[in-house]
Amino acid sequence: MTQIADILKLADEAQQQNRDAVLATVVRTEGSAYRRAGAMMLILEDGRTVGMISGGCLEPHITKRAFWLTRDGANVQVYQTGDDIGYTDDGRAKPASEDDLLSEAKASQNEANEDWYDDLRYETDELNFGLGCNGRVHVLFERLKTAMSVLNLIRQVRTTQQPATIATLIRAGSARDSHTKNADYLPIATRLDLDAYVNSGKITSLGDSSETAQAWPDNKTSMLVNTVKTLAQYPLEDKNTEYVFIEHDGESTQWLIQSVQPQIRLLICGAGDDVIPLVTMAKLQDWHVSVIDSRPRYATRLRFVQADIVMQLPLDATDELLELSDNAAVALMSHSLTQDRTRLATLLEHADRYRYIGQLGPRYRTERLINEISATKSDPSVLETGIEKLHYPIGYKLGGDGPEALALGIIAQINAVMYGKARSTQSDIRSGATDKAVSQV
């Protein structure tokens, strides 16, 4: 989640100053959309904002209307960005065709029926911005008091590095009467703690230790139990969000399931001048950045003011090195054979600790390091997994010259690996299946 650090900071400031705010969260997208579900924007009552839920097209409108929209509580608005969407006689945007909507429902739930179409039709009958993007963006608006539960959860995930799974109520009502009020249901923006249900069987809302089932009307309890069971078993597969329709005894609810993930962590072994732009680019993406070096004159806070951790770490501090590398991307770029050899030897033998590892320098230099490290092992096969995982020379060859171009290539490669979009593996590179690697010094 980019910009989340600024959102958390501004939310804390608003609370300290006793100012109200509105959190706008993308909960669903259809067609082309600039941001995905989970993107957030915080609007303070004094006009300050942080975060983006589109490419800047919706933000001015949302900033003006956020407090008015939440005057009666949290709700979802749908914004259409297509320039080819028709209009009714009264000037309102027409919904998508019945066939399109039913196809979408089938893709989401594999059990579409006509009742869901009635629900969908109401959801999509909203504002049209005619931007030419031909998409729809569903946005949840809620006041800060309600939103703090999810913001606190995000803060917890960032601190503990442990992901969390929640489900947010987007809409509830009768499938046959799309204008049914929500009075008989949990409030919109109620967030269920799916991890708590999986671990203990309790149905609780985020930030509330009491059982949420107690707040649900007696005649709806079985619906809530059925809903939570379904949500807890829903496979996210390779996605962090999913929009889910659930129908039970003629009543329907619509939910956003989210797997809240920790920040990407970047460990940079080496504190030369070429590390400075890498730190800057990583922080622009809200990564957690650690910089270590065995040389005290390099690893100083004055040189890396943006980094989260700057540490002079001795070469024999293997436990600390492995702890910093946990679930992280590791960039080895000290320009020192001794440092790189020692750090690389430890990391190659513990390839299960990190998600990415890259070595700066030309290919022959890294292969020399690997050979020297292998010669010290009674069983060199312990390095095989790490060597397969190792990217060398580090980063993509994107063109350009200098530390900034190098940093851009490293950031691109780490992003690709972290999000499963990597262009190649080390075996591909060695077999010549990819572009010739760039020489690095």
PDB file of all heavy atoms in Angstrom, residues 267-276 278-279 290-295 298-299 303-304 311 331-336 339-340 343:
ATOM      1  N   LEU A 267      16.923  -4.850   2.619  1.00  0.00           N
ATOM      2  CA  LEU A 267      18.179  -4.822   3.359  1.00  0.00           C
ATOM      3  C   LEU A 267      19.308  -4.565   2.369  1.00  0.00           C
ATOM      4  O   LEU A 267      19.506  -5.347   1.437  1.00  0.00           O
ATOM      5  CB  LEU A 267      18.412  -6.152   4.079  1.00  0.00           C
ATOM      6  CG  LEU A 267      19.812  -6.368   4.676  1.00  0.00           C
ATOM      7  CD1 LEU A 267      20.109  -5.321   5.746  1.00  0.00           C
ATOM      8  CD2 LEU A 267      19.953  -7.775   5.233  1.00  0.00           C
ATOM      9  N   ILE A 268      20.024  -3.473   2.566  1.00  0.00           N
ATOM     10  CA  ILE A 268      21.142  -3.119   1.694  1.00  0.00           C
ATOM     11  C   ILE A 268      22.437  -3.350   2.459  1.00  0.00           C
ATOM     12  O   ILE A 268      22.683  -2.715   3.493  1.00  0.00           O
ATOM     13  CB  ILE A 268      21.055  -1.654   1.225  1.00  0.00           C
ATOM     14  CG1 ILE A 268      19.691  -1.370   0.594  1.00  0.00           C
ATOM     15  CG2 ILE A 268      22.172  -1.348   0.237  1.00  0.00           C
ATOM     16  CD1 ILE A 268      19.452   0.087   0.266  1.00  0.00           C
ATOM     17  N   CYS A 269      23.256  -4.267   1.959  1.00  0.00           N
ATOM     18  CA  CYS A 269      24.544  -4.568   2.584  1.00  0.00           C
ATOM     19  C   CYS A 269      25.610  -3.759   1.854  1.00  0.00           C
ATOM     20  O   CYS A 269      26.061  -4.124   0.765  1.00  0.00           O
ATOM     21  CB  CYS A 269      24.845  -6.061   2.506  1.00  0.00           C
ATOM     22  SG  CYS A 269      23.619  -7.091   3.331  1.00  0.00           S
ATOM     23  N   GLY A 270      26.006  -2.658   2.451  1.00  0.00           N
ATOM     24  CA  GLY A 270      26.911  -1.712   1.815  1.00  0.00           C
ATOM     25  C   GLY A 270      26.335  -0.326   1.935  1.00  0.00           C
ATOM     26  O   GLY A 270      25.118  -0.142   1.830  1.00  0.00           O
ATOM     27  N   ALA A 271      27.187   0.651   2.165  1.00  0.00           N
ATOM     28  CA  ALA A 271      26.699   2.010   2.415  1.00  0.00           C
ATOM     29  C   ALA A 271      27.490   3.033   1.604  1.00  0.00           C
ATOM     30  O   ALA A 271      27.797   4.117   2.086  1.00  0.00           O
ATOM     31  CB  ALA A 271      26.771   2.328   3.903  1.00  0.00           C
ATOM     32  N   GLY A 272      27.789   2.679   0.349  1.00  0.00           N
ATOM     33  CA  GLY A 272      28.467   3.623  -0.524  1.00  0.00           C
ATOM     34  C   GLY A 272      27.529   4.698  -1.040  1.00  0.00           C
ATOM     35  O   GLY A 272      26.316   4.669  -0.795  1.00  0.00           O
ATOM     36  N   ASP A 273      28.069   5.637  -1.796  1.00  0.00           N
ATOM     37  CA  ASP A 273      27.258   6.738  -2.309  1.00  0.00           C
ATOM     38  C   ASP A 273      26.159   6.254  -3.260  1.00  0.00           C
ATOM     39  O   ASP A 273      25.102   6.891  -3.362  1.00  0.00           O
ATOM     40  CB  ASP A 273      28.151   7.748  -3.041  1.00  0.00           C
ATOM     41  CG  ASP A 273      29.065   8.509  -2.089  1.00  0.00           C
ATOM     42  OD1 ASP A 273      28.820   8.452  -0.864  1.00  0.00           O
ATOM     43  OD2 ASP A 273      30.020   9.151  -2.558  1.00  0.00           O
ATOM     44  N   ASP A 274      26.390   5.136  -3.973  1.00  0.00           N
ATOM     45  CA  ASP A 274      25.381   4.665  -4.919  1.00  0.00           C
ATOM     46  C   ASP A 274      24.174   4.048  -4.217  1.00  0.00           C
ATOM     47  O   ASP A 274      23.164   3.754  -4.854  1.00  0.00           O
ATOM     48  CB  ASP A 274      25.984   3.656  -5.902  1.00  0.00           C
ATOM     49  CG  ASP A 274      26.677   2.491  -5.214  1.00  0.00           C
ATOM     50  OD1 ASP A 274      26.832   2.531  -3.982  1.00  0.00           O
ATOM     51  OD2 ASP A 274      27.082   1.541  -5.927  1.00  0.00           O
ATOM     52  N   VAL A 275      24.248   3.878  -2.912  1.00  0.00           N
ATOM     53  CA  VAL A 275      23.118   3.354  -2.145  1.00  0.00           C
ATOM     54  C   VAL A 275      22.087   4.450  -1.859  1.00  0.00           C
ATOM     55  O   VAL A 275      20.900   4.180  -1.691  1.00  0.00           O
ATOM     56  CB  VAL A 275      23.613   2.706  -0.835  1.00  0.00           C
ATOM     57  CG1 VAL A 275      22.457   2.358   0.097  1.00  0.00           C
ATOM     58  CG2 VAL A 275      24.435   1.464  -1.146  1.00  0.00           C
ATOM     59  N   ILE A 276      22.543   5.701  -1.834  1.00  0.00           N
ATOM     60  CA  ILE A 276      21.654   6.810  -1.455  1.00  0.00           C
ATOM     61  C   ILE A 276      20.424   6.907  -2.366  1.00  0.00           C
ATOM     62  O   ILE A 276      19.291   6.966  -1.864  1.00  0.00           O
ATOM     63  CB  ILE A 276      22.436   8.141  -1.427  1.00  0.00           C
ATOM     64  CG1 ILE A 276      23.509   8.081  -0.331  1.00  0.00           C
ATOM     65  CG2 ILE A 276      21.504   9.325  -1.204  1.00  0.00           C
ATOM     66  CD1 ILE A 276      24.468   9.260  -0.317  1.00  0.00           C
ATOM     67  N   LEU A 278      19.068   4.561  -4.117  1.00  0.00           N
ATOM     68  CA  LEU A 278      18.283   3.337  -3.915  1.00  0.00           C
ATOM     69  C   LEU A 278      17.398   3.473  -2.684  1.00  0.00           C
ATOM     70  O   LEU A 278      16.216   3.096  -2.709  1.00  0.00           O
ATOM     71  CB  LEU A 278      19.214   2.131  -3.781  1.00  0.00           C
ATOM     72  CG  LEU A 278      18.536   0.776  -3.563  1.00  0.00           C
ATOM     73  CD1 LEU A 278      17.586   0.454  -4.706  1.00  0.00           C
ATOM     74  CD2 LEU A 278      19.577  -0.325  -3.389  1.00  0.00           C
ATOM     75  N   VAL A 279      17.943   4.034  -1.615  1.00  0.00           N
ATOM     76  CA  VAL A 279      17.148   4.273  -0.408  1.00  0.00           C
ATOM     77  C   VAL A 279      16.000   5.229  -0.711  1.00  0.00           C
ATOM     78  O   VAL A 279      14.852   5.003  -0.314  1.00  0.00           O
ATOM     79  CB  VAL A 279      18.035   4.835   0.725  1.00  0.00           C
ATOM     80  CG1 VAL A 279      17.182   5.287   1.908  1.00  0.00           C
ATOM     81  CG2 VAL A 279      19.054   3.792   1.165  1.00  0.00           C
ATOM     82  N   SER A 290      16.692  -0.984   5.487  1.00  0.00           N
ATOM     83  CA  SER A 290      17.814  -1.105   6.425  1.00  0.00           C
ATOM     84  C   SER A 290      19.115  -1.026   5.631  1.00  0.00           C
ATOM     85  O   SER A 290      19.245  -1.662   4.584  1.00  0.00           O
ATOM     86  CB  SER A 290      17.762  -2.438   7.174  1.00  0.00           C
ATOM     87  OG  SER A 290      16.560  -2.574   7.904  1.00  0.00           O
ATOM     88  N   VAL A 291      20.068  -0.254   6.136  1.00  0.00           N
ATOM     89  CA  VAL A 291      21.387  -0.132   5.514  1.00  0.00           C
ATOM     90  C   VAL A 291      22.426  -0.561   6.534  1.00  0.00           C
ATOM     91  O   VAL A 291      22.461  -0.035   7.651  1.00  0.00           O
ATOM     92  CB  VAL A 291      21.665   1.318   5.064  1.00  0.00           C
ATOM     93  CG1 VAL A 291      23.065   1.421   4.447  1.00  0.00           C
ATOM     94  CG2 VAL A 291      20.608   1.790   4.073  1.00  0.00           C
ATOM     95  N   ILE A 292      23.276  -1.544   6.136  1.00  0.00           N
ATOM     96  CA  ILE A 292      24.329  -1.992   7.044  1.00  0.00           C
ATOM     97  C   ILE A 292      25.676  -1.957   6.328  1.00  0.00           C
ATOM     98  O   ILE A 292      25.754  -2.076   5.104  1.00  0.00           O
ATOM     99  CB  ILE A 292      24.067  -3.416   7.586  1.00  0.00           C
ATOM    100  CG1 ILE A 292      24.084  -4.438   6.435  1.00  0.00           C
ATOM    101  CG2 ILE A 292      22.764  -3.468   8.350  1.00  0.00           C
ATOM    102  CD1 ILE A 292      24.035  -5.881   6.916  1.00  0.00           C
ATOM    103  N   ASP A 293      26.726  -1.788   7.112  1.00  0.00           N
ATOM    104  CA  ASP A 293      28.087  -1.803   6.586  1.00  0.00           C
ATOM    105  C   ASP A 293      29.012  -2.068   7.764  1.00  0.00           C
ATOM    106  O   ASP A 293      28.728  -1.640   8.885  1.00  0.00           O
ATOM    107  CB  ASP A 293      28.434  -0.466   5.915  1.00  0.00           C
ATOM    108  CG  ASP A 293      29.592  -0.596   4.924  1.00  0.00           C
ATOM    109  OD1 ASP A 293      30.695  -1.010   5.348  1.00  0.00           O
ATOM    110  OD2 ASP A 293      29.379  -0.305   3.729  1.00  0.00           O
ATOM    111  N   SER A 294      30.104  -2.787   7.531  1.00  0.00           N
ATOM    112  CA  SER A 294      31.050  -3.051   8.617  1.00  0.00           C
ATOM    113  C   SER A 294      31.955  -1.859   8.879  1.00  0.00           C
ATOM    114  O   SER A 294      32.643  -1.817   9.901  1.00  0.00           O
ATOM    115  CB  SER A 294      31.892  -4.286   8.293  1.00  0.00           C
ATOM    116  OG  SER A 294      32.683  -4.055   7.129  1.00  0.00           O
ATOM    117  N   ARG A 295      31.929  -0.892   7.969  1.00  0.00           N
ATOM    118  CA  ARG A 295      32.788   0.290   8.097  1.00  0.00           C
ATOM    119  C   ARG A 295      32.011   1.438   8.730  1.00  0.00           C
ATOM    120  O   ARG A 295      31.067   1.970   8.130  1.00  0.00           O
ATOM    121  CB  ARG A 295      33.305   0.699   6.714  1.00  0.00           C
ATOM    122  CG  ARG A 295      34.096  -0.400   6.018  1.00  0.00           C
ATOM    123  CD  ARG A 295      34.244  -0.173   4.531  1.00  0.00           C
ATOM    124  NE  ARG A 295      32.967  -0.283   3.827  1.00  0.00           N
ATOM    125  CZ  ARG A 295      32.852  -0.331   2.497  1.00  0.00           C
ATOM    126  NH1 ARG A 295      33.939  -0.270   1.732  1.00  0.00           N
ATOM    127  NH2 ARG A 295      31.658  -0.419   1.949  1.00  0.00           N
ATOM    128  N   TYR A 298      31.016   4.752   6.930  1.00  0.00           N
ATOM    129  CA  TYR A 298      30.009   4.693   5.865  1.00  0.00           C
ATOM    130  C   TYR A 298      28.589   4.609   6.438  1.00  0.00           C
ATOM    131  O   TYR A 298      27.680   5.291   5.959  1.00  0.00           O
ATOM    132  CB  TYR A 298      30.263   3.474   4.968  1.00  0.00           C
ATOM    133  CG  TYR A 298      31.406   3.643   3.997  1.00  0.00           C
ATOM    134  CD1 TYR A 298      32.711   3.329   4.354  1.00  0.00           C
ATOM    135  CD2 TYR A 298      31.175   4.112   2.707  1.00  0.00           C
ATOM    136  CE1 TYR A 298      33.765   3.484   3.466  1.00  0.00           C
ATOM    137  CE2 TYR A 298      32.216   4.269   1.802  1.00  0.00           C
ATOM    138  CZ  TYR A 298      33.515   3.956   2.187  1.00  0.00           C
ATOM    139  OH  TYR A 298      34.547   4.111   1.300  1.00  0.00           O
ATOM    140  N   ALA A 299      28.409   3.739   7.412  1.00  0.00           N
ATOM    141  CA  ALA A 299      27.066   3.498   7.947  1.00  0.00           C
ATOM    142  C   ALA A 299      26.711   4.536   9.000  1.00  0.00           C
ATOM    143  O   ALA A 299      26.775   4.289  10.208  1.00  0.00           O
ATOM    144  CB  ALA A 299      26.987   2.094   8.530  1.00  0.00           C
ATOM    145  N   ARG A 303      24.298  10.165   6.562  1.00  0.00           N
ATOM    146  CA  ARG A 303      24.343   9.833   5.142  1.00  0.00           C
ATOM    147  C   ARG A 303      23.014   9.249   4.641  1.00  0.00           C
ATOM    148  O   ARG A 303      22.696   9.371   3.465  1.00  0.00           O
ATOM    149  CB  ARG A 303      25.475   8.821   4.884  1.00  0.00           C
ATOM    150  CG  ARG A 303      26.858   9.448   4.901  1.00  0.00           C
ATOM    151  CD  ARG A 303      27.961   8.404   4.915  1.00  0.00           C
ATOM    152  NE  ARG A 303      27.835   7.396   3.863  1.00  0.00           N
ATOM    153  CZ  ARG A 303      28.148   7.586   2.578  1.00  0.00           C
ATOM    154  NH1 ARG A 303      28.596   8.787   2.190  1.00  0.00           N
ATOM    155  NH2 ARG A 303      28.035   6.613   1.691  1.00  0.00           N
ATOM    156  N   PHE A 304      22.255   8.617   5.528  1.00  0.00           N
ATOM    157  CA  PHE A 304      21.027   7.929   5.098  1.00  0.00           C
ATOM    158  C   PHE A 304      19.862   8.334   5.999  1.00  0.00           C
ATOM    159  O   PHE A 304      19.328   7.537   6.769  1.00  0.00           O
ATOM    160  CB  PHE A 304      21.239   6.413   5.133  1.00  0.00           C
ATOM    161  CG  PHE A 304      22.344   5.932   4.239  1.00  0.00           C
ATOM    162  CD1 PHE A 304      23.602   5.663   4.756  1.00  0.00           C
ATOM    163  CD2 PHE A 304      22.133   5.782   2.877  1.00  0.00           C
ATOM    164  CE1 PHE A 304      24.626   5.229   3.933  1.00  0.00           C
ATOM    165  CE2 PHE A 304      23.158   5.360   2.043  1.00  0.00           C
ATOM    166  CZ  PHE A 304      24.407   5.084   2.573  1.00  0.00           C
ATOM    167  N   MET A 311      23.011   0.822  10.356  1.00  0.00           N
ATOM    168  CA  MET A 311      23.740   0.076  11.375  1.00  0.00           C
ATOM    169  C   MET A 311      25.141  -0.284  10.909  1.00  0.00           C
ATOM    170  O   MET A 311      25.319  -0.768   9.786  1.00  0.00           O
ATOM    171  CB  MET A 311      22.962  -1.210  11.709  1.00  0.00           C
ATOM    172  CG  MET A 311      23.545  -2.032  12.837  1.00  0.00           C
ATOM    173  SD  MET A 311      22.632  -3.619  13.041  1.00  0.00           S
ATOM    174  CE  MET A 311      20.977  -3.000  13.352  1.00  0.00           C
ATOM    175  N   ALA A 331      20.066  -6.599  -1.046  1.00  0.00           N
ATOM    176  CA  ALA A 331      20.949  -6.082  -2.096  1.00  0.00           C
ATOM    177  C   ALA A 331      22.362  -5.995  -1.548  1.00  0.00           C
ATOM    178  O   ALA A 331      22.625  -5.269  -0.583  1.00  0.00           O
ATOM    179  CB  ALA A 331      20.477  -4.706  -2.559  1.00  0.00           C
ATOM    180  N   LEU A 332      23.275  -6.772  -2.146  1.00  0.00           N
ATOM    181  CA  LEU A 332      24.684  -6.769  -1.738  1.00  0.00           C
ATOM    182  C   LEU A 332      25.437  -5.820  -2.658  1.00  0.00           C
ATOM    183  O   LEU A 332      25.608  -6.098  -3.841  1.00  0.00           O
ATOM    184  CB  LEU A 332      25.256  -8.176  -1.825  1.00  0.00           C
ATOM    185  CG  LEU A 332      24.648  -9.178  -0.827  1.00  0.00           C
ATOM    186  CD1 LEU A 332      24.684 -10.575  -1.391  1.00  0.00           C
ATOM    187  CD2 LEU A 332      25.389  -9.112   0.486  1.00  0.00           C
ATOM    188  N   MET A 333      25.926  -4.705  -2.116  1.00  0.00           N
ATOM    189  CA  MET A 333      26.557  -3.691  -2.961  1.00  0.00           C
ATOM    190  C   MET A 333      27.561  -2.861  -2.169  1.00  0.00           C
ATOM    191  O   MET A 333      27.503  -1.633  -2.137  1.00  0.00           O
ATOM    192  CB  MET A 333      25.493  -2.804  -3.615  1.00  0.00           C
ATOM    193  CG  MET A 333      24.360  -2.325  -2.720  1.00  0.00           C
ATOM    194  SD  MET A 333      22.957  -1.604  -3.622  1.00  0.00           S
ATOM    195  CE  MET A 333      23.715  -0.382  -4.674  1.00  0.00           C
ATOM    196  N   SER A 334      28.510  -3.562  -1.551  1.00  0.00           N
ATOM    197  CA  SER A 334      29.480  -2.873  -0.697  1.00  0.00           C
ATOM    198  C   SER A 334      30.732  -2.426  -1.448  1.00  0.00           C
ATOM    199  O   SER A 334      31.526  -1.651  -0.914  1.00  0.00           O
ATOM    200  CB  SER A 334      29.914  -3.791   0.446  1.00  0.00           C
ATOM    201  OG  SER A 334      30.732  -4.847  -0.038  1.00  0.00           O
ATOM    202  N   HIS A 335      30.949  -2.934  -2.688  1.00  0.00           N
ATOM    203  CA  HIS A 335      32.189  -2.678  -3.440  1.00  0.00           C
ATOM    204  C   HIS A 335      33.408  -3.205  -2.691  1.00  0.00           C
ATOM    205  O   HIS A 335      34.518  -2.723  -2.901  1.00  0.00           O
ATOM    206  CB  HIS A 335      32.368  -1.183  -3.737  1.00  0.00           C
ATOM    207  CG  HIS A 335      31.275  -0.596  -4.576  1.00  0.00           C
ATOM    208  ND1 HIS A 335      31.248  -0.700  -5.943  1.00  0.00           N
ATOM    209  CD2 HIS A 335      30.148   0.089  -4.229  1.00  0.00           C
ATOM    210  CE1 HIS A 335      30.168  -0.092  -6.408  1.00  0.00           C
ATOM    211  NE2 HIS A 335      29.482   0.392  -5.387  1.00  0.00           N
ATOM    212  N   SER A 336      33.206  -4.181  -1.841  1.00  0.00           N
ATOM    213  CA  SER A 336      34.295  -4.786  -1.072  1.00  0.00           C
ATOM    214  C   SER A 336      34.207  -6.298  -1.217  1.00  0.00           C
ATOM    215  O   SER A 336      33.188  -6.893  -0.837  1.00  0.00           O
ATOM    216  CB  SER A 336      34.196  -4.392   0.407  1.00  0.00           C
ATOM    217  OG  SER A 336      34.982  -5.247   1.211  1.00  0.00           O
ATOM    218  N   GLN A 339      33.703  -7.934   2.301  1.00  0.00           N
ATOM    219  CA  GLN A 339      32.341  -7.808   2.829  1.00  0.00           C
ATOM    220  C   GLN A 339      31.362  -8.668   2.036  1.00  0.00           C
ATOM    221  O   GLN A 339      30.564  -9.418   2.611  1.00  0.00           O
ATOM    222  CB  GLN A 339      31.891  -6.333   2.774  1.00  0.00           C
ATOM    223  CG  GLN A 339      32.410  -5.488   3.904  1.00  0.00           C
ATOM    224  CD  GLN A 339      31.445  -4.358   4.246  1.00  0.00           C
ATOM    225  OE1 GLN A 339      30.328  -4.593   4.690  1.00  0.00           O
ATOM    226  NE2 GLN A 339      31.890  -3.137   4.024  1.00  0.00           N
ATOM    227  N   ASP A 340      31.402  -8.553   0.702  1.00  0.00           N
ATOM    228  CA  ASP A 340      30.453  -9.298  -0.115  1.00  0.00           C
ATOM    229  C   ASP A 340      30.634 -10.807   0.065  1.00  0.00           C
ATOM    230  O   ASP A 340      29.644 -11.549   0.138  1.00  0.00           O
ATOM    231  CB  ASP A 340      30.626  -8.928  -1.589  1.00  0.00           C
ATOM    232  CG  ASP A 340      30.049  -7.552  -1.911  1.00  0.00           C
ATOM    233  OD1 ASP A 340      29.382  -6.975  -1.033  1.00  0.00           O
ATOM    234  OD2 ASP A 340      30.268  -7.065  -3.029  1.00  0.00           O
ATOM    235  N   ARG A 343      29.164 -11.770   3.655  1.00  0.00           N
ATOM    236  CA  ARG A 343      27.699 -11.672   3.727  1.00  0.00           C
ATOM    237  C   ARG A 343      27.046 -12.698   2.797  1.00  0.00           C
ATOM    238  O   ARG A 343      26.075 -13.372   3.170  1.00  0.00           O
ATOM    239  CB  ARG A 343      27.237 -10.275   3.307  1.00  0.00           C
ATOM    240  CG  ARG A 343      27.899  -9.105   4.016  1.00  0.00           C
ATOM    241  CD  ARG A 343      27.370  -8.847   5.388  1.00  0.00           C
ATOM    242  NE  ARG A 343      27.746  -7.513   5.837  1.00  0.00           N
ATOM    243  CZ  ARG A 343      27.938  -7.175   7.107  1.00  0.00           C
ATOM    244  NH1 ARG A 343      27.824  -8.087   8.058  1.00  0.00           N
ATOM    245  NH2 ARG A 343      28.266  -5.936   7.441  1.00  0.00           N
TER     246      ARG A 343
END
